[in-house]
Amino acid sequence: MLEVRQIDVRYGKRTSVSQLSLHVKAGEIVTLVGGNGAGKTTTLKAVSGLLPLAHGEIWFCGERMDALAPHQILAKGLAHVPEGRMLFKDMSVKAHLELGSLRTPAHAASFNDTLAWVFELFPVLKERSQQLAGTLSGGQQQMLAIARGLMSQPRLLMLDEPSLGLAPIVVHTLVDIIRTLHAKGLSILLVEQRVDLALQLAQRAYVMESGQVTLSGAAADLARDPKVKQAYLGLSL
Ligand code: ATP
């Protein structure tokens, strides 16, 4: 479904992602993990067209994406829920969801059907549809950021650090939602600082260090890998 082939991404002269390749198959949850500054966010931004490639190619559902603008990539069915949520604090929940539906793939369901589906997934957003985003709790804001992404009816959802700053109980809700979305057939590329959670949720994983993939494989195998345990799971050898 998604194929990232040997991409380099630079900020000015500095290369932040180098020769990175990864893929996501239809119906998979794939996670990209690594320490701070490893290049995970940069990779997601390159996939969604927010950063240009210095080298390499990105393909999605058989089409080359890396020359397209972000709104065109979204309309192909590839949505990005950014780190930090990027909501407009003075805009209502409903207005965010309308914004999320502006670019939908061809043959998409109607706005009302998608809204009903999203409200079923996030009942709290239905209750608060007229409330301003800035007045929501952190967990509700994260739900809104995901819901806005879903309003574009993506085939692949990229989630950047969805659990960041959330209370443990809200993280549980988030995990349930990711599992529900996956069960409904959505493919997911997950960047997550809670490596333990990410490896539980995903079928496959890539570990990034200094802009490169240094390990990849089945998530269950990586969760048992001594190097991963030591570096990311807080366990000593
Ligand atoms: P984190 O979990 O801390 O967000 P990350 O793995 O997502 O880490 P990136 O944010 O992709 O890492 O950063 C990769 C590298 O690119 C880092 O060295 C970072 O300092 C650099 N970088 C990120 N954004 C910019 C920017 N706007 N301008 C210049 N350098 C940047």
Side-chain angles (χ1 to χ4, degrees):
M1 172 172 250
L2 175 70
E3 254 200 87
V4 175
R5 297 182 187 160
Q6 298 200 304
I7 63 166
D8 289 356
V9 188
R10 296 190 186 130
Y11 293 101
K13 288 191 177 157
R14 187 180 161 182
T15 301
S16 285
V17 168
S18 170
Q19 291 294 297
L20 180 135
S21 296
L22 62 79
H23 68 275
V24 180
K25 291 184 243 170
E28 271 191 318
I29 302 183
V30 171
T31 187
L32 186 57
V33 298
N36 285 343
K40 307 177 298 293
T41 296
T42 301
T43 301
L44 294 197
K45 284 183 174 171
V47 172
S48 59
L50 295 168
L51 289 172
L53 301 187
H55 181 268
E57 298 178 3
I58 297 172
W59 291 75
F60 180 61
C61 297
E63 277 187 78
R64 191 156 172 189
M65 292 288 126
D66 49 88
L68 301 184
H71 69 274
Q72 293 171 313
I73 293 173
L74 181 63
K76 299 283 181 193
L78 209 168
H80 181 176
V81 179
E83 184 176 11
R85 297 152 201 162
M86 303 296 169
L87 302 175
F88 301 97
K89 66 178 174 28
D90 295 328
M91 232 168 77
S92 71
V93 166
K94 180 92 182 288
H96 278 89
L97 300 177
E98 286 166 355
L99 203 59
S101 72
L102 287 181
R103 304 283 178 174
T104 52
H107 314 299
S110 73
F111 171 79
N112 284 340
D113 286 351
T114 315
L115 188 67
W117 172 63
V118 162
F119 279 162
E120 200 182 307
L121 273 171
F122 302 100
V124 70
L125 297 181
K126 185 175 185 182
E127 286 159 24
R128 294 170 188 266
S129 67
Q130 300 309 322
Q131 201 169 315
L132 300 181
T135 65
L136 298 174
S137 69
Q140 291 162 354
Q141 289 187 12
Q142 185 60 64
M143 301 308 157
L144 177 56
I146 296 172
R148 177 180 56 186
L150 292 174
M151 287 301 295
S152 68
Q153 300 181 48
R155 288 187 273 184
L156 174 69
L157 187 68
M158 298 194 295
L159 296 170
D160 195 353
E161 306 280 17
S163 83
L164 199 66
L166 300 185
I169 185 146
V170 188
V171 174
H172 275 291
T173 310
L174 180 74
V175 165
D176 285 346
I177 285 164
I178 292 174
R179 290 210 163 106
T180 303
L181 293 172
H182 178 235
K184 286 181 188 294
L186 192 67
S187 311
I188 296 173
L189 178 56
L190 172 69
V191 165
E192 178 50 58
Q193 33 97 39
R194 285 277 311 270
V195 177
D196 55 333
L197 272 187
L199 293 178
Q200 279 170 32
L201 278 165
Q203 286 81 59
R204 288 190 305 109
Y206 294 85
V207 178
M208 274 189 90
E209 284 170 44
S210 307
Q212 295 187 308
V213 169
T214 51
L215 267 178
S216 64
D221 292 342
L222 290 190
R224 285 192 293 265
D225 184 294
K227 277 181 281 182
V228 174
K229 280 182 167 179
Q230 192 178 33
Y232 303 110
L233 299 176
L235 304 171
S236 52
L237 292 170

